[in-house]
Amino acid sequence: MARLKQRMRRFAQRPGSADLTPYRTLLTAVNTHEERIGALTDSELTEAAKELRERSTFGKDELVEVCALAREAADRALGLRPFDVQILGALGLLEGHVVEMATGEGKTLSGAIAAAGFALRGDQVHVASVNDYLAQRDAEWMGPLYKLLGVSVGWLNQSSKPDERRAAYEAEVTYAAVSEIGFDVLRDRLATDEADRIVPEPRVVLVDEADSVLVDEARVPLVLAGSTANEAADPVIADLVRRLRLDLHYEVDDEERNVYLTGAGSEAVERALGGIDLYSDEHVQTTLSKVNVALHAHVLLHRDIDYIVRDGKVHLINDTRGRIARLQRWPDGLQAAVEAKESVAATDSGEVLDSITVQALLNRYPTVCGMTGTAVAVAEQLRTFYNLEVLVIPSNQECIREDEAPRLYTTLELKEAALVKEIASVHETGRPILVGTLDVAESERLSTKLRAAGLEPVVLNAKNDAEEATIIADAGSFERITVSTQMAGRGTDIRLGGHDGEDHDRIVELGGLYVVGSGRHTSSRLDDQLRGRAGRQGDPGGSVFFGSLQDELVTQFAPDHDSPVEVDDDGLITDAGTLHTVEHAQRVAEGVHLEIHRNTWRYNKLVEHQRELLMSHRDKVLTSDAAWEELSTRSPERAAELKEAVSDEEVLVSAARLITLYHLDQRWSEHLTFLTDLREGIHLRALARQNPLDEFHREAIPAFNRIVPDSWEAAEETLAEAKVGEDGVELVKAGVKRPNTTWTYLVHDNPFSSGLEETFKGLVKMVKRR
């Protein structure tokens, strides 16, 4: 019967429905070994784990043995005896699933057990975390467990030196932020000596907060840049844009994703810049482009919402976590425009040497698995983009959190007034309250209103992230009000009674932590993560979400909603039809984001295929004498001349290799720039009834096919002129000059859509102007 259900489920392709029955059977087997494993000494337990490495196969019996040994090891080494549900989670990970475990159920320990199991099977495991702090914390926390099982573990972070990174990757289990793994892969791809590469062949990646990394951040490109500086934003244009006025000089579309100069605006800009013609051939690709980018930065990107300014720098905010997005920036032109807008020093910009999306990075691994508290909602994406299924693990203790029905108000002002009233009312009981806000600006605005009402909230947002640990430690204390962005909405463990748990029983009697959402997110998963801060491990708790018809979610994704019919005096909407508006807007938002992801994936598939082909060719050049052999064939006279002048042929092989790699890397960098420019305007082809994706392929493939031939020709020319002696080739004099500095960063998704709809809007505006 179970097998029939499995077949039916696969036929129906119902997401998030991997069958738990086989894992319950394995769990029963794990429990039967408890007495035998418990009788082992520490050294015997380590030896038993070592014996697993020597087995020729690794099947169900070995999975059971791993989990039985790991349960006992965790109890002895960490003082944490895994619950049955944690063992189920580990088994699901070892079978290559994304495991959904409720918040507070101990995913970190399940992940460590699974990572140890993969290592004992003979695989190197990368545990991809969402940030450096968690990578180090979890590696050190779980370290004693790995040691008792005889498994080596390492971690690395942004400040790790090359030797430290190499040592971390040599361990059987390596904890690191997914971005750091990606940056190391990019650096390895530009290595000119095989000995400089440090990332081992990918085997297994275990992704923490899997829905966030695999879905929300999948499209984010990780970039390795070189030191060829680009032109900074023009402060004159930034100052000019500040003086333009909405509806007179520019207009913003209903979704606030695009801004356009009006006829009056174009004329004002042309006069201010000396009477130029913005739409002439001379200025349309330069001046007009700079004005448009500056206008986008000034009008559509908001301080304390999209970014903050701290220590004289612009810091982007990760909109799914509410934290500073370290190392993340917008594309160079937009980044520079925001810096000019805020009158801060421009950051380095330069030539993109290589890039890779998070999705492409993780798809390199033959085995991908992960864990999170909210996976079922993105099961379709996980199946489509990674061929992964979700295994839902039941809670160890039943969740008794009381989730109240959401409250919807007519206006933003009435919503916030009701919020303050609700918080004040609950605070009188002493019950701790966590208020989740959508951005920094809202957290500060709401905290100001709470103080005006005589309350004293503690604020946690991207501006004071250094205080995060202290604030979270006491967020469950008696009478505490914590106002936070999404920083407290994922991955945080709020203990009832504060850091020392002194008032735990008292807080339990009051109903536990009360979570109040100031608005609904564009993803229901973020709402669920925020709710999940309360009611952990059987503790009581409660949650409620407030919303208004003026919230950005509604105005952007459900602008044509019906007017409310039943409204109380305080603005609370009670008619059922209107109450579904927010849920409808949320579903539309999720659909939009899915389509953006799917569309980006379609384009990136070709780029990643091209990257694989080129890197295969580059590896051959790097690890063999192919460059010297090819150039000798192309120019036998020059080869004979060099052999006569240089006695050591290895010097010639090295010179040919370095020259060839330089030109190959240069052509690839130019190709990436070409693809970026092509992608930005390819949707215009739809106006001529052409398929943009087909047109992208039609131009991208021939351009790629020219890279290797062109690089050979350039290398041949360079070798013909290069001075090669017994000490090697004089690269700089030969024009082979690699960037003397490189840096890494993530490119924030361009916040402005560029689809066909916006193209038509832009054409309509242009017609009106001219």
Side-chain angles (χ1 to χ4, degrees):
M1 180 61 71
R3 185 173 298 178
L4 178 60
K5 287 182 178 179
Q6 180 83 348
R7 288 178 178 174
M8 290 298 293
R9 178 186 60 79
R10 292 190 178 278
F11 177 77
Q13 289 292 285
R14 289 192 295 124
S17 53
D19 189 3
L20 193 62
T21 304
Y23 301 98
R24 291 190 183 279
T25 302
L26 292 174
L27 173 64
T28 301
V30 170
N31 290 335
T32 62
H33 292 279
E34 186 168 344
E35 186 175 343
R36 175 180 65 84
I37 299 295
L40 299 176
T41 64
D42 285 0
S43 59
E44 288 173 337
L45 193 153
T46 304
E47 187 63 29
K50 180 181 177 182
E51 188 271 332
L52 281 173
R53 297 177 183 273
E54 300 167 358
R55 298 192 185 181
S56 57
T57 59
F58 206 93
K60 303 298 183 184
D61 291 342
E62 284 71 26
L63 286 180
V64 168
E65 185 76 4
V66 160
C67 290
L69 291 170
R71 168 176 270 173
E72 184 65 27
D75 192 9
R76 297 184 190 184
L78 304 173
L80 300 171
R81 189 165 191 82
F83 300 117
D84 283 356
V85 294
Q86 289 174 294
I87 297 297
L88 283 173
L91 288 166
L93 291 168
L94 283 164
E95 289 283 88
H97 290 305
V98 170
V99 169
E100 178 175 291
M101 297 175 66
T103 52
E105 291 292 307
K107 290 186 286 291
T108 301
L109 182 53
S110 290
I113 293 172
F118 283 122
L120 294 174
R121 192 179 74 179
D123 288 321
Q124 279 192 303
V125 187
H126 293 166
V127 181
S129 185
V130 293
N131 58 48
D132 289 347
Y133 166 73
L134 290 177
Q136 179 178 350
R137 184 203 72 177
D138 293 350
E140 293 178 341
W141 181 18
M142 297 292 119
L145 166 64
Y146 289 116
K147 183 177 180 180
L148 191 51
L149 292 173
V151 174
S152 59
V153 62
W155 59 269
L156 59 94
N157 61 24
Q158 182 184 340
S159 60
S160 297
K161 296 178 175 58
D163 288 346
E164 294 170 329
R165 290 175 181 271
R166 189 182 302 278
Y169 283 120
E170 287 174 352
E172 293 171 292
V173 177
T174 306
Y175 283 78
V178 65
S179 58
E180 286 305 309
I181 298 173
F183 292 146
D184 285 334
V185 168
L186 291 176
R187 293 185 190 101
D188 277 4
R189 286 178 171 180
L190 290 179
T192 56
D193 188 327
E194 189 178 5
D196 292 337
R197 300 198 289 191
I198 63 172
V199 184
E201 193 70 19
R203 291 294 309 148
V204 176
V205 63
L206 194 161
V207 185
D208 193 12
E209 301 293 358
D211 62 319
S212 178
V213 174
L214 295 173
V215 177
D216 297 334
E217 299 176 5
R219 295 172 286 123
V220 176
L222 289 74
V223 175
L224 179 66
S227 56
T228 305
N230 291 336
E231 185 179 356
D234 189 343
V236 173
I237 291 179
D239 184 61
L240 166 61
V241 163
R242 288 190 190 98
R243 300 198 298 271
L244 299 181
R245 295 292 173 261
L246 176 64
D247 294 331
L248 174 61
H249 298 119
Y250 63 86
E251 296 176 357
V252 181
D253 65 7
D254 294 337
E255 294 84 11
E256 293 192 5
R257 294 178 66 84
N258 289 274
V259 58
Y260 310 95
L261 285 172
T262 62
S266 297
E267 293 172 5
V269 171
E270 290 172 340
R271 283 197 305 273
L273 295 179
I276 65 171
D277 180 0
L278 275 177
Y279 300 93
S280 66
D281 292 341
E282 178 185 359
H283 292 287
V284 72
Q285 294 293 336
T286 54
T287 310
L288 179 59
S289 176
K290 291 179 181 179
V291 170
N292 283 333
V293 170
L295 197 59
H296 276 102
H298 180 70
V299 177
L300 301 179
L301 292 178
H302 307 289
R303 185 167 177 165
D304 291 343
I305 295 177
D306 301 297
Y307 64 92
I308 64 170
V309 177
R310 188 168 73 184
D311 301 327
K313 295 181 180 179
V314 170
H315 299 274
L316 277 66
I317 297 175
N318 184 312
D319 58 3
T320 64
R321 297 200 188 112
R323 304 173 184 275
I324 286 178
R326 302 190 186 280
L327 296 180
Q328 197 161 342
R329 56 186 288 150
W330 289 293
D332 283 340
L334 187 58
Q335 180 77 20
V338 175
E339 289 163 345
K341 166 188 173 182
E342 297 293 345
S343 302
V344 301
T347 53
D348 289 334
S349 60
E351 176 184 31
V352 173
L353 303 177
D354 200 2
S355 68
I356 187 172
T357 63
V358 170
Q359 181 171 340
L361 171 70
L362 297 177
N363 273 330
R364 297 169 63 248
Y365 291 84
T367 300
V368 180
C369 60
M371 50 194 182
T372 180
T374 45
V376 170
V378 290
E380 180 185 350
Q381 290 97 308
L382 293 174
R383 175 180 289 121
T384 300
F385 303 125
Y386 302 96
N387 197 28
L388 290 171
E389 289 200 352
V390 176
L391 182 69
V392 179
I393 306 297
S395 298
N396 180 52
Q397 296 186 44
E398 183 182 356
C399 179
I400 58 174
R401 184 184 65 241
E402 296 181 5
D403 297 323
E404 300 177 28
R407 305 178 194 177
L408 184 63
Y409 291 81
T410 53
T411 68
L412 179 63
E413 185 177 357
L414 289 172
K415 179 191 78 170
E416 292 191 346
L419 259 170
V420 172
K421 183 178 179 181
E422 174 73 4
I423 293 167
S425 174
V426 175
H427 176 66
E428 289 181 359
T429 69
R431 187 179 184 182
I433 303 169
L434 172 66
V435 185
T437 63
L438 300 178
D439 53 58
V440 174
E442 186 180 43
S443 69
E444 296 188 338
R445 184 176 70 247
L446 189 55
S447 63
T448 299
K449 291 186 175 183
L450 289 170
R451 291 190 182 97
L455 304 174
E456 285 300 325
V458 177
V459 180
L460 174 62
N461 59 37
K463 290 184 175 181
N464 65 335
D465 52 1
E467 304 170 37
E468 176 181 2
T470 303
I471 293 173
I472 291 298
D474 284 321
S477 300
F478 184 70
E479 293 187 329
R480 178 61 64 97
I481 302 174
T482 306
V483 178
S484 176
T485 57
Q486 295 95 309
M487 289 178 66
R490 184 189 285 270
T492 56
D493 193 4
I494 298 175
R495 296 179 58 188
L496 298 187
H499 67 279
D500 56 7
E502 182 179 348
D503 291 319
H504 178 273
D505 294 343
R506 186 181 187 184
I507 302 300
V508 167
E509 289 179 5
L510 292 172
L513 181 69
Y514 188 52
V515 172
V516 181
S518 68
R520 302 289 285 277
H521 299 85
T522 53
S523 167
S524 60
R525 289 178 293 113
L526 296 178
D527 291 347
D528 292 340
Q529 288 282 355
L530 179 58
R531 285 192 189 96
R533 298 313 100 195
R536 298 162 75 88
Q537 278 294 337
D539 281 334
S543 74
V544 64
F545 276 82
F546 286 67
S548 86
L549 296 179
Q550 292 180 342
D551 287 353
E552 185 178 349
L553 176 66
V554 176
T555 59
Q556 185 170 335
F557 295 104
D560 300 324
H561 61 81
D562 295 332
S563 298
V565 177
E566 301 173 11
V567 182
D568 291 348
D569 293 340
D570 61 354
L572 179 67
I573 298 170
T574 56
D575 63 279
T578 310
L579 286 174
H580 290 300
T581 299
V582 175
E583 282 73 16
H584 170 69
Q586 198 171 60
R587 287 193 297 272
V588 172
E590 290 172 337
V592 168
H593 294 152
L594 173 58
E595 187 54 35
I596 291 173
H597 187 172
R598 185 178 284 121
N599 193 46
T600 304
W601 176 64
R602 293 186 186 112
Y603 284 92
N604 282 341
K605 278 180 68 176
L606 174 66
V607 180
E608 289 309 316
H609 179 62
Q610 291 182 344
R611 181 180 277 106
E612 289 177 12
L613 292 176
L614 188 78
M615 290 306 157
S616 176
H617 172 72
R618 192 185 191 280
D619 284 348
K620 182 179 179 181
V621 172
L622 178 66
T623 59
S624 71
D625 299 345
W628 173 244
E629 294 171 358
E630 176 69 21
L631 294 178
S632 297
T633 302
R634 286 172 170 268
S635 185
E637 298 83 0
R638 178 58 173 160
E641 180 184 331
L642 290 172
K643 283 183 178 180
E644 186 111 354
V646 179
S647 58
D648 186 354
E649 185 170 333
E650 188 54 40
V651 172
L652 301 178
V653 169
S654 177
R657 180 184 298 132
L658 291 172
I659 289 171
T660 301
L661 289 174
Y662 168 79
H663 287 293
L664 193 62
D665 294 340
Q666 192 70 24
R667 297 302 181 279
W668 175 245
S669 175
E670 293 168 357
H671 184 64
L672 289 177
T673 301
F674 165 74
L675 293 180
T676 299
D677 293 341
L678 178 64
R679 175 77 190 280
E680 286 180 356
I682 200 68
H683 58 277
L684 292 169
R685 309 291 177 91
L687 299 176
R689 298 182 181 276
Q690 295 173 329
N691 183 304
L693 183 60
D694 290 344
E695 291 302 302
F696 180 79
H697 283 208
R698 191 178 66 80
E699 294 202 26
I701 292 173
F704 173 78
N705 290 338
R706 291 193 295 270
I707 292 179
V708 172
D710 288 354
S711 67
W712 282 127
E713 290 180 11
E716 182 182 353
E717 292 175 6
T718 300
L719 188 64
E721 301 172 2
K723 184 176 181 181
V724 185
E726 294 290 351
D727 294 331
V729 61
E730 296 184 10
L731 294 173
V732 176
K733 289 183 179 179
V736 179
K737 186 178 180 182
R738 289 184 174 272
N740 51 21
T741 60
T742 60
W743 65 95
T744 53
Y745 60 90
L746 292 85
V747 177
H748 188 280
D749 287 336
N750 192 325
F752 316 113
S753 56
S754 57
L756 185 58
E757 180 183 355
E758 283 66 33
T759 301
F760 280 117
K761 289 180 182 177
L763 289 175
V764 170
K765 300 288 184 183
M766 189 178 295
V767 169
K768 289 181 178 179
R769 284 198 301 266
R770 310 308 286 179

